[in-house]
């Protein structure tokens, strides 16, 4: 059974773009093609694409759940004994019609220096531009898990047609956060 999204951007084209990004990063890409069997007896292909990228200090997990959910998440783990609370939410286009904000991102943190640095960070500005021009609406948050800080961003790619333009700026932004948290 075809997804209605296959008419907008064929699944294979998206998989090819993700493979190209994995090659560019020299990262590992795996595809787990699960089947969703719901009570409605839909037997829809549900590929889950995972790109694992390791640089000198961080390991990044980029997961695309395709098929029924059409969502993505980017995760990294940082070694730290301190927990840094950070949330970045994106105001959706509809709500922004009423709010008329120039920047669609709302940054919540007790660290005012971090907040100021984020607003000036080039990778954050790239993500902000992508959000202004498309329906890219990420939600980033941090939490403590054992002795690690987890940075995670989740977003819907259903109506975000470019679907891969955010990956490199997101990794750059996570690197920036990793350096900030490391120096604290």
């Amino acid at each position: 059974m075809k997804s209605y999204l296959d008419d907008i951007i064929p699944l294979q084209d998206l998989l090819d773009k993700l493979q190209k990004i994995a090659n560019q990063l020299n990262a590992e890409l795996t595809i787990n093609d699960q089947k969703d069997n719901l009570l409605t007896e839909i037997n829809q292909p549900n590929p889950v694409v995972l790109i694992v990228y390791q640089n000198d200090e961080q390991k990044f997990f980029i997961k695309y759940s395709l098929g029924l959910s059409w969502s993505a998440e980017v995760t990294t783990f940082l070694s730290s004994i301190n927990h840094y609370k950070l949330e970045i939410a994106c105001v959706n286009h509809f709500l922004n019609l009423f709010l008329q904000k120039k920047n669609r991102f709302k940054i919540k943190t007790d660290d005012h220096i971090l907040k100021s640095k984020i607003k000036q960070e080039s990778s954050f500005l790239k993500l902000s531009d992508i959000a202004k021009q498309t329906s890219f609406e990420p939600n980033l948050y941090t939490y403590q898990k054992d002795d690690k800080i987890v940075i995670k961003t989740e977003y819907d790619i259903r109506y975000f047609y470019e679907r891969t333009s955010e990956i490199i700026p997101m990794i750059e932004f996570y690197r920036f956060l990793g350096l900030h948290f490391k120096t604290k």
Side-chain angles (χ1 to χ4, degrees), residues 96-118:
N96 201 46
L97 287 173
F98 299 103
L99 299 176
Q100 297 293 314
K101 293 192 172 219
K102 289 181 182 177
N103 188 349
R104 292 185 45 221
F105 288 113
K106 184 177 181 179
I107 303 168
K108 283 192 204 176
T109 182
D110 293 334
D111 185 341
H112 299 292
I113 293 171
L114 174 61
K115 188 173 185 175
S116 177
K117 285 182 176 181
I118 286 173

Side-chain angles (χ1 to χ4, degrees), residues 1 94 162:
M1 179 178 200
F94 181 72
E162 178 45 43

Side-chain angles (χ1 to χ4, degrees), residues 49-146:
V49 180
L50 181 64
I51 299 173
V52 179
Y53 168 63
Q54 173 82 48
N55 73 0
D56 295 336
E57 298 181 14
Q58 287 175 268
K59 194 171 197 174
F60 303 89
F61 301 89
I62 304 151
K63 179 181 171 187
Y64 274 67
S65 299
L66 308 173
L68 294 176
S69 65
W70 286 86
S71 62
E73 60 185 52
V74 180
T75 309
T76 194
F77 301 86
L78 303 172
S79 296
S80 180
I81 55 171
N82 299 316
H83 175 69
Y84 302 96
K85 191 99 171 138
L86 173 66
E87 289 181 34
I88 300 176
C90 188
V91 176
N92 70 42
H93 280 288
F94 181 72
L95 185 58
N96 201 46
L97 287 173
F98 299 103
L99 299 176
Q100 297 293 314
K101 293 192 172 219
K102 289 181 182 177
N103 188 349
R104 292 185 45 221
F105 288 113
K106 184 177 181 179
I107 303 168
K108 283 192 204 176
T109 182
D110 293 334
D111 185 341
H112 299 292
I113 293 171
L114 174 61
K115 188 173 185 175
S116 177
K117 285 182 176 181
I118 286 173
K119 289 179 179 180
Q120 297 172 17
E121 169 57 30
S122 63
S123 56
F124 178 76
L125 296 174
K126 287 177 195 172
L127 292 170
S128 184
D129 284 343
I130 293 169
K132 282 179 190 173
Q133 298 169 9
T134 68
S135 60
F136 176 57
E137 297 176 357
N139 290 303
L140 179 144
Y141 53 95
T142 62
Y143 60 94
Q144 189 83 28
K145 184 174 182 178
D146 302 324

Side-chain angles (χ1 to χ4, degrees), residues 152-163:
K152 188 171 198 169
T153 304
E154 299 173 318
Y155 49 99
D156 190 328
I157 60 170
R158 193 172 332 196
Y159 305 110
F160 171 43
Y161 299 121
E162 178 45 43
R163 293 195 181 108

